[in-house]
């Protein structure tokens, strides 16, 4: 076997094995479906068998006893076939839906626990497509696989019947069967390749839709609706082109197999008809044989249809198990120690960090200590690494060199849940869920006290505007809080941080995107939030951090100076420059 074909065979074997592993918990249902499948196959052969006594005994010999028994037998056979066909189809489809549920759950659980750098390299629409579209394809794998086995059993039963009726004539009929195998595999490979392209293109369209609808305000601001429409039409056209090729190959496969079957039936009609004319066979035997033969080619066509569905399922499985089984895509892992709800000290030592997509370190040899109760401010030009630095503390990313020590232990030793629950973050990029105000504030816990929610809202200066909303705390804020102003959204995120009640607080330019009036109110809310907590504040406006215990000045991924406001005005040229620029602007 050539190397490429051998790899493809092993790959297919692995994918089929992985798909079938999800059906393991439902083996009782599948076993009953298999039994039903065997009965359906036998009933199909019995239907063809009954044609001979119907023709010979009823229509030719005019046997009145046969007139009573054969119709009853036919009804019983069809009833049995219908009951067990229903049972098989119902069990397999319901099992497929349960597997669909498990697969989606596993895939979502894996993706949601992946590190942040995975999400930075992946489009949201593509991930949505993996969970929604690709998994649906896998659902069809076992029902189609079972159908192939059922049709194979039917073929065996019918071949047995035709050889029982006339072995010599049956030889003519099955001579053409090998010709039907070639299109089965040839078109199967092509459809697998097209199915893979189709799933990939659906991912691209999902990503484009998600990006377009999320950025619709920008699209309208630049009057670029036509450009986005053209982009979508181009992607949609490519998807349709692939789908048309799938239809073409699918139909070619079916029609070729029909033609092959027609050759077999033609040979039988010629030879069998001559046998009946010469008196070597009865019309009943011949028509029973023909019925079995016609039924024989029908399951072959159905096997071809099932093969198409399985190829699509394998194309979807490749993309799903690429995430579930890939050794390169690993979920975040924490330590075993629970971080106590008390902040003692944070030490950052010789820390160096690079993003996977960047050539040079974003942070270089960072050293910083934060004592309990301190307010530490971090300032510097855009791109100096301020946000990256604070994102390493809750382990959104892991540094390549150096260490971050919290309360005397490396942050890697703590469980991720306890580490992150003890750190509160409020940034300029506010995010609210499409849920009620109450649910957004109490997001950290499903069991909460409504009085505590209101208290946090009052402390964040949010209660007043919440009370004026149509349904108060039960008002749905819309996707990303679209129904609220920037200041209102920010106050809700502050209330959310208050409800979480973390000992260490990180504020990432929390007021930079607000107007003066909103900034004033939010700043008061932030003061309430920082009260009696250790806080690290990334500041765009120096006026908000002049009273900080320590101000850290960063530039190009390095700490260039540390000290109080007065100390930095004496010794740090960059800080003096930033200070003069801002306060001259204010003047």
């Amino acid at each position: 076997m050539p190397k490429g074909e051998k790899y493809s065979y092993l790959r297919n074997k692995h994918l089929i094995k992985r798909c079938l592993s999800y059906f393991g918990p439902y083996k009782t249902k599948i076993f009953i479906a298999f039994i039903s499948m065997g009965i359906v196959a036998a009933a199909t052969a019995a239907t063809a068998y009954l044609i001979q006594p119907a023709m010979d005994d009823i229509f030719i010999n005019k046997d009145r006893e046969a007139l009573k028994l054969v119709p009853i037998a036919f009804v019983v056979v069809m009833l049995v076939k219908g009951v067990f066909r229903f049972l098989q189809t119902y069990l397999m489809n319901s099992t497929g839906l349960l597997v669909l549920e498990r697969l989606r759950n596993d895939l979502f659980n894996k993706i949601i626990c992946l590190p942040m750098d995975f999400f930075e390299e992946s489009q949201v629409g593509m991930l949505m497509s993996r969970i929604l579209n690709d998994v649906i394809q896998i659902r069809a794998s076992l029902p189609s696989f079972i159908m192939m086995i059922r049709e194979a059993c039917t073929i065996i039963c019918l071949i047995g019947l035709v050889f029982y009726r006339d072995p010599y004539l049956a030889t003519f009929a099955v001579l053409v069967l090998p010709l039907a195998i070639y299109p089965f595999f040839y078109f199967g490979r092509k459809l697998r390749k097209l199915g893979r392209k189709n799933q990939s293109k659906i991912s691209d369209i999902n990503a484009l839709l998600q990006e377009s609808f999320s950025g619709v305000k920008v699209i309208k601001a630049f009057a670029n609706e036509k450009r986005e429409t053209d982009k979508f039409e181009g992607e949609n056209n490519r998807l349709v082109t692939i789908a048309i090729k799938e239809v073409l190959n699918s139909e070619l496969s079916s029609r070729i197999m029909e033609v092959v079957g027609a050759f077999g039936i033609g040979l039988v009609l010629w030879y069998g008809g001559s046998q009946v004319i010469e008196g070597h066979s009865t019309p009943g035997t011949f028509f029973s044989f023909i019925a079995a033969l016609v039924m024989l080619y029908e399951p072959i066509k159905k096997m071809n249809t099932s093969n198409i569905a399985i190829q699509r399922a394998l194309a979807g499985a490749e993309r799903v198990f690429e995430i579930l089984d890939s050794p390169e895509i690993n979920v975040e892992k924490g330590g075993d120690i629970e971080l106590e709800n008390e902040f003692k000290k944070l030490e950052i030592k010789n820390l160096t960090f690079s993003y996977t997509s960047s050539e040079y370190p974003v942070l270089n040899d960072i050293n910083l200590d934060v004592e309990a109760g301190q307010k530490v401010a971090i300032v510097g030009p855009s791109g100096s690494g301020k946000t990256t630095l604070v994102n390493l503390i809750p382990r959104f990313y892991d540094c390549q060199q150096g260490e971050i020590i919290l309360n005397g232990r490396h942050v890697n030793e703590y469980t991720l849940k306890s580490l992150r629950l003890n750190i509160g973050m409020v940034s300029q990029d506010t995010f609210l869920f499409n849920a009620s105000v109450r649910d957004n504030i109490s997001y950290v816990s499903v069991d909460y006290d409504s009085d505590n929610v209101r208290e946090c809202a009052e402390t964040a200066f949010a209660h007043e505007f919440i009370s004026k909303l149509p349904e108060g705390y039960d008002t749905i804020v819309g996707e990303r809080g679209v129904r609220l102003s920037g200041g209102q959204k920010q106050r809700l995120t502050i209330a959310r941080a208050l409800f979480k009640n973390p000992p260490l607080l990180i504020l990432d330019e929390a007021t930079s995107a607000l107007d003066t009036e909103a900034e004033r109110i939010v700043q008061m809310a932030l003061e309430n939030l920082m009260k009696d907590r250790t806080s690290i504040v990334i500041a765009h406006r120096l006026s908000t951090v002049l009273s900080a215990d320590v101000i850290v000045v960063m530039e190009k991924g390095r700490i260039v100076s540390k000290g109080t406001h007065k100390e930095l005005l004496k010794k740090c040229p960059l800080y003096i420059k930033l200070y003069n620029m801002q306060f001259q602007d204010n003047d």
Side-chain angles (χ1 to χ4, degrees):
M1 185 184 290
K3 188 176 180 181
E5 287 186 18
K6 185 177 180 181
Y7 172 78
S8 178
Y9 167 77
L10 293 173
R11 180 70 177 155
N12 288 351
K13 187 178 177 182
H14 169 74
L15 289 172
I16 291 170
K17 190 176 178 182
R18 283 294 282 123
C19 289
L20 294 180
S21 69
Y22 273 83
F23 292 86
Y26 315 106
K27 49 182 172 286
T28 302
K29 286 185 175 183
I30 294 170
F31 176 74
I32 296 171
F34 263 100
I35 298 297
S36 302
M37 173 193 70
I39 295 171
V40 169
T44 303
T47 305
Y49 178 86
L50 286 172
I51 292 174
Q52 186 265 331
M55 286 289 295
D56 289 344
D57 296 343
I58 297 174
F59 295 105
I60 296 174
N61 299 330
K62 298 179 182 177
D63 186 339
R64 290 189 176 274
E65 190 66 25
L67 183 61
K68 295 176 185 177
L69 295 176
V70 172
I72 292 172
F74 182 77
V75 171
V76 170
V77 168
M78 293 306 293
L79 181 62
V80 168
K81 182 179 178 181
V83 168
F84 284 97
R85 182 71 175 266
F86 164 80
L87 195 59
Q88 179 223 319
T89 304
Y90 171 75
L91 288 174
M92 290 319 306
N93 280 290
S94 60
T95 301
L97 289 168
L98 291 170
V99 167
L100 181 72
E101 179 186 27
R102 282 189 64 213
L103 258 173
R104 279 188 176 149
N105 288 342
D106 285 356
L107 194 55
F108 183 82
N109 289 341
K110 173 79 181 275
I111 290 174
I112 204 70
C113 294
L114 292 174
M116 288 296 296
D117 52 9
F118 172 82
F119 292 95
E120 289 178 354
E121 295 172 7
S122 305
Q123 293 175 300
V124 173
M126 180 272 290
L127 298 177
M128 290 166 57
S129 182
R130 298 275 173 113
I131 294 174
L132 295 174
N133 299 317
D134 294 344
V135 171
I136 287 177
Q137 299 295 335
I138 296 176
R139 175 205 159 191
S141 61
L142 187 64
S144 296
F145 184 67
I146 295 295
M147 185 181 286
M148 284 187 74
I149 296 175
R150 184 188 74 201
E151 302 306 335
C153 291
T154 303
I155 289 170
I156 291 168
C157 291
L158 290 170
I159 287 177
L161 178 61
V162 297
F163 273 95
Y164 169 75
R165 288 294 184 209
D166 191 329
Y168 189 70
L169 193 58
T171 306
F172 276 92
V174 298
L175 276 176
V176 295
L177 280 180
L179 296 176
I181 302 298
Y182 178 73
F184 184 82
F185 289 105
Y186 173 76
F187 287 104
R189 283 196 299 269
K190 294 196 75 171
L191 287 164
R192 168 81 171 280
K193 190 180 295 183
L194 288 167
R196 196 182 302 123
K197 288 181 180 178
N198 187 64
Q199 293 301 107
S200 177
K201 190 51 62 182
I202 288 173
S203 289
D204 292 342
I205 286 185
N206 272 351
L208 179 62
L209 289 172
Q210 193 274 335
E211 187 177 63
S212 298
F213 293 150
S214 298
V216 68
K217 187 181 286 186
V218 176
I219 292 170
K220 290 184 178 297
F222 285 87
N224 250 339
E225 290 91 342
K226 181 68 170 61
R227 178 179 172 184
E228 294 301 318
T229 300
D230 291 343
K231 193 189 297 183
F232 176 79
E233 287 178 354
E235 291 292 330
N236 198 26
N237 176 258
R238 282 185 278 275
L239 175 64
V240 170
T241 301
I242 294 169
I244 289 172
K245 288 180 180 178
E246 281 189 300
V247 171
L248 175 66
N249 282 277
S250 175
E251 284 304 301
L252 276 174
S253 175
S254 298
R255 301 299 77 82
I256 287 172
M257 295 183 81
E258 281 182 355
V259 171
V260 170
F263 272 107
I265 292 172
L267 281 171
V268 168
L269 283 172
W270 169 74
Y271 179 77
S274 64
Q275 291 292 96
V276 172
I277 290 170
E278 292 171 9
H280 299 307
S281 179
T282 66
T285 302
F286 176 70
F287 280 105
S288 175
F289 186 93
I290 285 291
L293 193 59
V294 170
M295 290 180 179
L296 178 62
Y297 287 110
E298 190 60 31
I300 292 174
K301 287 198 299 182
K302 287 183 178 177
M303 284 182 68
N304 183 55
T305 303
S306 297
N307 183 49
I308 292 167
I310 288 172
Q311 295 306 322
R312 285 177 182 156
L314 290 175
E318 282 182 338
R319 292 163 54 78
V320 169
F321 293 119
E322 182 182 25
I323 291 178
L324 283 178
D325 296 345
S326 172
E328 287 85 30
I329 303 176
N330 298 310
V331 298
E332 297 175 296
K333 290 184 180 178
D336 302 319
I337 299 171
E338 295 287 327
L339 175 61
E340 67 272 17
N341 191 23
E342 178 188 359
F343 180 86
K344 297 173 183 175
K345 187 176 182 180
L346 173 69
E347 302 168 80
I348 299 175
K349 298 181 177 180
N350 307 318
L351 186 145
T352 297
F353 173 78
S354 299
Y355 290 108
T356 52
S357 57
S358 61
E359 294 183 37
Y360 306 103
V362 179
L363 298 172
N364 207 328
D365 197 27
I366 300 292
N367 288 277
L368 178 65
D369 291 346
V370 179
E371 302 290 343
Q374 274 190 326
K375 177 182 177 181
V376 176
I378 303 177
V379 301
S382 295
S384 55
K386 306 184 294 294
T387 299
T388 300
L389 176 59
V390 296
N391 280 336
L392 294 174
I393 299 170
R395 289 194 61 204
F396 292 154
Y397 305 92
D398 286 324
C399 58
Q400 286 83 25
Q401 296 177 31
E403 52 188 356
I404 300 174
I405 298 172
L406 181 58
N407 291 357
R409 291 184 180 275
H410 199 289
V411 288
N412 290 356
E413 297 180 42
Y414 296 117
T415 64
L416 285 173
K417 183 175 181 179
S418 67
L419 174 67
R420 290 169 181 174
L421 285 178
N422 280 281
I423 300 173
M425 298 192 77
V426 179
S427 68
Q428 61 178 329
D429 183 22
T430 56
F431 185 92
L432 297 175
F433 294 94
N434 186 25
S436 68
V437 170
R438 190 188 314 276
D439 289 341
N440 272 287
I441 293 174
S442 61
Y443 182 68
V444 72
S445 173
V446 291
D447 300 317
Y448 57 84
D449 182 359
S450 294
D451 291 337
N452 191 12
V453 171
R454 175 170 176 163
E455 184 183 334
C456 292
E458 288 174 345
T459 307
F461 296 98
H463 176 71
E464 184 179 350
F465 84 78
I466 293 172
S467 303
K468 294 176 182 177
L469 294 173
E471 297 176 54
Y473 283 84
D474 294 317
T475 302
I476 304 297
V477 300
E479 188 176 358
R480 300 181 68 93
V482 69
R483 296 173 188 168
L484 303 177
S485 69
Q488 290 172 335
K489 288 192 285 186
Q490 194 63 289
R491 278 178 275 169
L492 283 190
T493 60
I494 293 169
R496 184 165 63 191
L498 282 163
F499 191 90
K500 188 179 184 182
N501 194 26
L504 175 62
L505 185 66
I506 296 173
L507 305 179
D508 186 1
E509 299 189 358
T511 62
S512 64
L514 304 177
D515 58 50
T516 306
E517 179 62 22
E519 181 187 3
R520 186 181 63 80
I521 300 172
V522 169
Q523 192 60 47
M524 290 191 296
L526 288 172
E527 291 299 331
N528 286 342
L529 177 61
M530 288 187 286
K531 193 179 296 180
D532 301 323
R533 297 179 208 275
T534 306
S535 54
I536 300 173
V537 183
I538 295 176
H540 174 70
R541 296 183 177 93
L542 296 184
S543 58
T544 61
V545 294
L546 296 181
S547 61
D549 299 305
V550 178
I551 299 175
V552 179
V553 185
M554 292 187 66
E555 185 179 29
K556 296 180 180 178
R558 293 180 178 273
I559 293 177
V560 294
S561 191
K562 287 182 273 189
T564 63
H565 169 63
K566 290 183 179 179
E567 291 170 349
L568 291 172
L569 283 178
K570 294 177 183 177
K571 67 178 183 178
C572 181
L574 177 58
Y575 184 79
I576 295 168
K577 178 183 176 182
L578 294 172
Y579 178 81
N580 288 336
M581 285 172 62
Q582 290 193 24
F583 285 90
Q584 282 173 7
D585 288 344
N586 289 340
D587 292 339

